[in-house]
Amino acid sequence: RRIDFVLVYEDESKSASEKKGSVMRRRVSQMDEKLVYVKVHMPFEVLCTYAEVLHIKLPIQPNDLAPQSSAYNCFTHHFYPSEDVIAKEADFFTAPFQKDQLKCFWVKDREQFFTPAMRSRMAYYILSRAPYDVKGNVKKFGFNKLLDGGVYKAAYPLHDCRFNVKSKEPDCPNERFLLYNEWAHPKSFYKMQPLDLIRKYFGEKIGIYFAWLGFYTVMLTLAAAVGLGCFIYGYTTRETSTWSKEVCDPRIGGEIVMCPQCDEICPYWRLNTTCESSKRLCIFDNYGTLVFAIFMSVWVTLFLEFWKRYQAELEHDWDTVEFLQQEEQPRPEYEAKCIYERVNPVTQETEKVPYTACGKCMRVSCGIGTVLFWVLLIIASVVGVIVYRLAMFITFSSKLRSELYNRKELEPFKEYVTPQMATSITASIISFIIIMILNSVYEKVAIWITDFELPRTKTEYENSLTLKMFLFQFVNYYSSCFYIAFFKGKVVGYPGQPVYWLGSLRNEECDPGGCLTELTTQLSIIMTGKAIWNNIQEVLLPWVKNLMFRHCTQVGSEKVIPRWEQDYRLQPIGKLGLFYEYLEMVIQFGFVTLFVASFPLAPLLALFNNLCEIRVDAWKITTQFRRVVPEKAQDIGAWQPILQGVAILAVATNAAIIAFTSDMIPRLVYYWAFSVSPYSDGSDHTMTGYINSSLSVFNIADFKETIRPSEEITPYWFNNITTCRYRDFRHPPSHPNQYDFSIYHWHVIAAKLAFMIVVEHIVYFTKFMLSYMIPDVPEALKEQIKRERYLTQVILHETNIKHFKELMKPIADNLQNEIEEPELDLTL
């Protein structure tokens, strides 16, 4: 008989001597000798009962309508697995199963009528609600609690075969083997995913995840190509930029003496020492970045809208169009604590619930308070990293320069390594470590709070946990980036009157190349570190655990042990299933969209990561994990509104980065307003002289004694110099309003605000128009769904009438024989 589910427990009463007479001798550990495997089989009658309870849709007649064809099929069909290897699934008209109308359904073979995924799903439903202990009014049920308590070691449905060897059984479909060869194997990296087979083997929930990940990766190809073009444009023009030319020119940048960036221990320095930093900044801070940021705002709208259309097609193909929340059953944990009564507002019938209205409010308030506490904890950690930056910048300023200049082997790096860069890199690494630690701790807290809230269905549970985790992860991952982009270097005062943190730590300024360079560094470190960390967790750990488990059990070959024992040696998928996979991709989506104006290569890095992620996830769930319990799903759930929220926020963040973090707006203001009369002697718009106009003058005689650089660190070339320069738009010392903001400053502020308002409104209007013009469901698909729904009703109606005639025919024949009047016809 077919094995639909396996339960594993350890029998302590067994001894090694009981297995000495076994026909199949093999070397096993003592632990294996005590394991008992309970094979669960679902009879056909039980399957019919619970198929009706779970509203499972089953075929009633083959679908003879012509399938919808796409213009892209002529191109994409070359990348799909051959139909000779993976046969195309037959299409049927389906309807929710009803046990009393079994004859209406397409039952060719009772053993094959319910797929293995359906059988496993129904077995899981029964086992998760089976009672095992009753004490008074307290009723305990569900094998999940027994698993948590260690009564059962494992519970899982079986894989159909080994992943790398075909089964010799004639009835085995070898779907796992096909998935490994045509999907999970590295040789298939260029192939499209066999989504129908993935859905059939693992269920709709996993199928919709891989469909979304594949669609996201395909759309990233376009964004990565444009971002790479923007990067190449910046890289090729970095040498010819007027700004970088003036910085690197010994007659301009070499003659400009810059003010110290910290108190007492920081020396004066020449502007041309930041030549390489300026060239790096030109790679990302150019007009191509503005075009790319606007393009990405449109791209993210197209991605979300076309994903809705593709998702609608999958709902139709996978028969989840009418998958309603009412069909989803309550969680066993919810049912177990239903002790209060209330009147259902829909049915007006009395039903049991686990809490009163006041109790629910208390649970939700507790959850909100806990999340806010952890968000504040993250903000505190960010403040700690900022204090580290301020303290270490002073240390690097005093020691790093002397090390670079005094040690000849480090001399080639003196142009590239600055105190700001060293501080930024070390702070980024520390920030990443803090992010990983807080993630691991908060993860357990979020699960505990969601369990305490006691959501009714699994979908509600996952949506609640999703919101908590994403809010935390959003603050955790992005807070340092927001600080660098919008706060660092914005309130620093001027050399004679700097701004201090905690009364003694001078607020840090941006790198001489600009804060945009530091933001790029932060993003690259976090994205790369996150990808490496996730791959270690997802690939290396399960593989090592399985390797150690096989070594401990000392089994020489998988050919000599049954399927259920082979699967037991694999890793469990975890209670939350694909939650962490979605979370990882959505966090990456945030990096790709929120800060893309500072790092055009982010989509390219995400593309490379996703190409590996698809095959790694496929390899992992196909070869390293036990088979998951298939679950029904209509869409990606709460992640859809989260993606839409990130897309809306991305417009504002990218506009703000270009306006307030980059130097694009000050350059444009100088080019169009201050390079010509009345602010300049020239009559032609030019960028020549921008560096001089963007640096304010400070009289070194105005330094306070606690700020003035000491004579020991004063450079040898600093002779008879009375002024130094700093990045700001303020009046010179000789002006009546010395060191106050100049008219240039207010022009720049006005231009920045105008830029943000205009760009935001244009992009938001474009996004709204695209969303309005692109329907969520294609019109042809709507018509096809209506047609299929109508034909399904006709088929069910005709089948019921036919069945009714078969039941009434004997009665009609008897009446015809008993009635003598020939003109009365009772023929059915």
Side-chain angles (χ1 to χ4, degrees):
R1 295 187 297 180
R2 183 189 294 271
I3 300 173
D4 298 315
F5 221 83
V6 176
L7 299 174
V8 185
Y9 69 92
E10 187 174 341
D11 189 351
E12 296 292 344
S13 63
K14 286 192 174 185
S15 62
S17 59
E18 294 180 13
K19 292 217 169 183
K20 288 183 179 178
S22 176
V23 176
M24 188 181 297
R25 295 182 179 274
R26 58 184 183 271
R27 293 186 304 161
V28 293
S29 65
Q30 189 174 356
M31 182 189 69
D32 272 0
E33 292 176 350
K34 294 181 180 181
L35 292 180
V36 177
Y37 297 87
V38 180
K39 278 81 76 176
V40 178
H41 170 73
M42 298 273 289
F44 186 76
E45 290 297 322
V46 178
L47 290 170
C48 291
T49 300
Y50 283 93
E52 184 173 358
V53 171
L54 295 175
H55 303 275
I56 294 178
K57 287 187 174 183
L58 289 163
I60 55 177
Q61 183 176 308
N63 189 342
D64 54 358
L65 294 177
Q68 292 286 333
S69 59
S70 173
Y72 300 103
N73 288 346
C74 58
F75 173 75
T76 59
H77 81 277
H78 298 289
F79 299 95
Y80 280 98
S82 172
E83 292 189 7
D84 297 333
V85 179
I86 299 179
K88 189 175 181 180
E89 292 291 321
D91 195 10
F92 287 90
F93 292 113
T94 61
F97 184 77
Q98 295 181 6
K99 189 175 181 181
D100 57 352
Q101 295 184 352
L102 180 60
K103 291 188 176 181
C104 298
F105 291 87
W106 189 266
V107 185
K108 291 297 184 182
D109 183 359
R110 288 195 168 198
E111 289 298 318
Q112 302 297 328
F113 182 58
F114 296 101
T115 64
M118 294 176 185
R119 299 172 72 103
S120 300
R121 183 182 165 201
M122 287 185 275
Y124 179 84
Y125 179 84
I126 295 172
L127 291 171
S128 62
R129 287 159 176 79
Y132 63 86
D133 189 17
V134 178
K135 292 182 179 179
N137 295 329
V138 180
K139 180 177 161 183
K140 297 182 179 180
F141 57 86
F143 73 107
N144 287 319
K145 288 187 177 180
L146 299 176
L147 281 171
D148 295 337
V151 178
Y152 283 107
K153 295 291 183 183
Y156 49 89
L158 289 179
H159 285 294
D160 61 349
C161 64
R162 294 168 62 190
F163 70 87
N164 54 355
V165 178
K166 269 190 174 183
S167 174
K168 295 181 180 179
E169 297 179 12
D171 296 333
C172 180
N174 291 298
E175 291 174 347
R176 186 189 186 196
F177 174 79
L178 292 175
L179 285 172
Y180 175 72
N181 276 333
E182 300 296 325
W183 178 44
H185 199 280
K187 69 179 182 182
S188 303
F189 75 95
Y190 65 94
K191 292 183 179 179
M192 303 292 284
Q193 301 181 91
L195 294 175
D196 289 335
L197 185 58
I198 297 170
R199 189 265 308 183
K200 180 182 177 182
Y201 191 75
F202 293 112
E204 286 81 4
K205 195 164 193 176
I206 288 183
I208 201 74
Y209 163 73
F210 280 103
W212 177 82
L213 181 56
F215 186 82
Y216 173 43
T217 304
V218 171
M219 291 293 291
L220 269 178
T221 306
L222 176 61
V226 179
L228 182 61
C230 176
F231 174 80
I232 293 174
Y233 168 78
Y235 186 81
T236 53
T237 58
R238 74 191 192 284
E239 300 285 351
T240 58
S241 169
T242 304
W243 178 37
S244 63
K245 278 184 177 180
E246 290 189 353
V247 172
C248 299
D249 191 343
R251 293 169 298 178
I252 301 176
E255 297 297 327
I256 296 177
V257 177
M258 302 296 293
C259 297
Q261 293 184 308
C262 64
D263 298 344
E264 296 186 297
I265 61 174
C266 290
Y268 298 97
W269 50 285
R270 295 187 187 277
L271 182 62
N272 65 346
T273 58
T274 64
C275 176
E276 295 300 324
S277 298
S278 300
K279 290 180 180 178
R280 287 197 301 269
L281 180 62
C282 290
I283 297 176
F284 302 106
D285 191 0
N286 53 67
Y287 300 121
T289 303
L290 172 61
V291 176
F292 183 59
I294 297 175
F295 165 80
M296 285 299 294
S297 300
V298 177
W299 173 89
V300 73
T301 304
L302 295 176
F303 164 64
L304 293 175
E305 294 302 318
F306 282 117
W307 163 248
K308 291 177 186 177
R309 293 170 64 87
Y310 184 49
Q311 184 174 257
E313 294 177 4
L314 291 176
E315 290 175 13
H316 169 258
D317 295 341
W318 294 353
D319 219 1
T320 59
V321 175
E322 297 177 353
F323 177 67
L324 303 177
Q325 187 176 3
Q326 295 93 303
E327 299 176 9
E328 190 173 7
Q329 301 298 320
R331 297 165 60 239
E333 296 83 357
Y334 179 90
E335 293 178 331
K337 296 184 179 181
C338 289
I339 57 177
Y340 301 100
E341 291 186 351
R342 72 157 190 173
V343 177
N344 189 302
V346 179
T347 63
Q348 294 298 312
E349 296 179 356
T350 302
E351 65 178 5
K352 287 187 175 290
V353 292
Y355 36 64
T356 61
C358 181
K360 183 176 181 180
C361 181
M362 184 271 293
R363 290 170 183 263
V364 173
S365 300
C366 181
I368 294 174
T370 304
V371 173
L372 290 177
F373 168 78
W374 277 87
V375 169
L376 292 175
L377 186 63
I378 299 171
I379 296 175
S381 70
V382 172
V383 173
V385 173
I386 294 173
V387 172
Y388 165 84
R389 286 173 173 269
L390 301 178
M392 292 307 297
F393 175 72
I394 297 174
T395 304
F396 283 132
S397 298
S398 61
K399 296 182 179 180
L400 185 62
R401 294 182 187 274
S402 60
E403 289 289 329
L404 290 174
Y405 282 93
N406 295 334
R407 299 179 62 177
K408 292 184 178 180
E409 62 270 19
L410 298 177
E411 189 173 351
F413 301 99
K414 66 181 181 181
E415 294 184 2
Y416 303 95
V417 180
T418 62
Q420 291 91 342
M421 182 60 68
T423 304
S424 178
I425 292 176
T426 56
S428 298
I429 295 173
I430 292 174
S431 178
F432 173 73
I433 294 172
I434 293 175
I435 286 172
M436 293 294 105
I437 294 173
L438 289 177
N439 275 350
S440 60
V441 178
Y442 177 77
E443 182 181 301
K444 298 177 176 59
V445 175
I447 293 173
W448 178 81
I449 287 295
T450 309
D451 289 340
F452 178 72
E453 289 178 359
L454 207 62
R456 181 177 180 272
T457 64
K458 188 169 184 179
T459 299
E460 292 177 0
Y461 180 91
E462 291 179 349
N463 290 347
S464 177
L465 182 62
T466 297
L467 187 60
K468 292 183 183 66
M469 287 294 292
F470 179 77
L471 179 62
F472 174 84
Q473 299 274 13
F474 182 90
V475 179
N476 198 14
Y477 276 107
Y478 304 141
S479 56
S480 59
C481 296
F482 273 98
Y483 164 72
I484 295 174
F486 305 122
F487 298 100
K488 183 180 179 182
K490 300 299 185 292
V491 185
V492 295
Y494 61 94
Q497 192 174 347
V499 176
Y500 291 91
W501 276 59
L502 305 176
S504 59
L505 296 175
R506 180 170 170 174
N507 199 5
E508 63 177 335
E509 300 180 26
C510 291
D511 184 88
C515 280
L516 202 66
T517 306
E518 294 188 47
L519 182 57
T520 303
T521 304
Q522 180 83 357
L523 286 171
S524 58
I525 289 177
I526 292 180
M527 286 189 69
T528 306
K530 184 174 176 292
I532 295 173
W533 177 261
N534 287 334
N535 284 328
I536 290 175
Q537 281 189 317
E538 294 178 7
V539 180
L540 191 59
L541 290 182
W543 181 76
V544 170
K545 287 180 180 179
N546 287 335
L547 190 66
M548 293 174 62
F549 193 87
R550 285 195 295 267
H551 177 73
C552 293
T553 53
Q554 298 180 357
V555 175
S557 173
E558 290 186 350
K559 295 181 180 179
V560 298
I561 58 177
R563 174 84 266 136
W564 50 86
E565 292 192 31
Q566 293 181 36
D567 285 5
Y568 176 70
R569 288 170 171 79
L570 300 177
Q571 294 297 307
I573 193 68
K575 289 184 178 180
L576 298 179
L578 293 171
F579 174 81
Y580 298 108
E581 310 298 335
Y582 272 118
L583 184 61
E584 175 188 350
M585 288 295 104
V586 172
I587 293 296
Q588 181 206 88
F589 179 81
F591 281 120
V592 168
T593 54
L594 291 174
F595 305 101
V596 75
S598 65
F599 193 31
L601 291 180
L604 184 63
L605 294 180
L607 175 63
F608 288 147
N609 178 75
N610 288 6
L611 290 174
C612 297
E613 185 75 20
I614 291 175
R615 304 305 164 180
V616 165
D617 287 346
W619 173 84
K620 180 178 63 177
I621 68 170
T622 306
T623 67
Q624 301 300 308
F625 285 91
R626 298 168 189 155
R627 189 172 182 176
V628 299
V629 178
E631 294 183 55
K632 203 83 169 173
Q634 187 178 22
D635 49 34
I636 61 175
W639 298 110
Q640 183 76 26
I642 287 175
L643 291 174
Q644 291 173 338
V646 171
I648 292 172
L649 181 61
V651 177
T653 56
N654 284 299
I657 287 173
I658 293 174
F660 294 100
T661 308
S662 74
D663 285 334
M664 185 175 299
I665 302 301
R667 292 201 299 267
L668 289 174
V669 170
Y670 176 81
Y671 181 81
W672 291 107
F674 285 84
S675 64
V676 293
S677 178
Y679 301 103
S680 178
D681 297 333
S683 57
D684 297 329
H685 296 283
T686 178
M687 284 300 297
T688 303
Y690 168 72
I691 290 297
N692 186 61
S693 68
S694 65
L695 298 175
S696 299
V697 180
F698 180 77
N699 190 341
I700 62 176
D702 294 334
F703 270 126
K704 297 178 182 178
E705 291 301 323
T706 57
I707 301 176
R708 187 187 304 275
S710 60
E711 295 183 0
E712 291 80 6
I713 62 172
T714 301
Y716 67 91
W717 44 262
F718 192 79
N719 296 320
N720 300 323
I721 296 177
T722 59
T723 61
C724 61
R725 310 294 290 273
Y726 59 99
R727 288 171 61 91
D728 210 340
F729 303 107
R730 294 177 182 266
H731 292 298
S734 58
H735 196 276
N737 299 319
Q738 64 176 7
Y739 305 137
D740 288 343
F741 290 118
S742 65
I743 189 67
Y744 195 170
H745 169 83
W746 300 113
H747 274 75
V748 169
I749 292 296
K752 288 180 176 181
L753 294 176
F755 173 84
M756 273 205 66
I757 294 172
V758 172
V759 169
E760 278 188 357
H761 281 69
I762 291 175
V763 174
Y764 279 135
F765 178 76
T766 305
K767 287 168 68 68
F768 170 77
M769 292 302 298
L770 288 174
S771 301
Y772 178 78
M773 291 188 297
I774 302 174
D776 294 346
V777 182
E779 290 298 325
L781 183 59
K782 287 182 180 179
E783 297 298 327
Q784 186 170 2
I785 291 173
K786 292 178 182 178
R787 174 66 177 166
E788 290 182 2
R789 188 176 299 163
Y790 167 75
L791 291 178
T792 299
Q793 294 174 349
V794 170
I795 291 168
L796 284 175
H797 179 67
E798 291 178 350
T799 305
N800 286 332
I801 292 177
K802 182 179 178 182
H803 181 53
F804 177 75
K805 286 182 177 181
E806 291 176 354
L807 292 176
M808 296 300 295
K809 192 173 187 307
I811 300 175
D813 292 343
N814 292 334
L815 289 174
Q816 186 72 43
N817 295 333
E818 293 176 1
I819 297 176
E820 297 179 355
E821 299 180 10
E823 64 276 6
L824 185 61
D825 186 9
L826 297 177
T827 304
L828 291 174

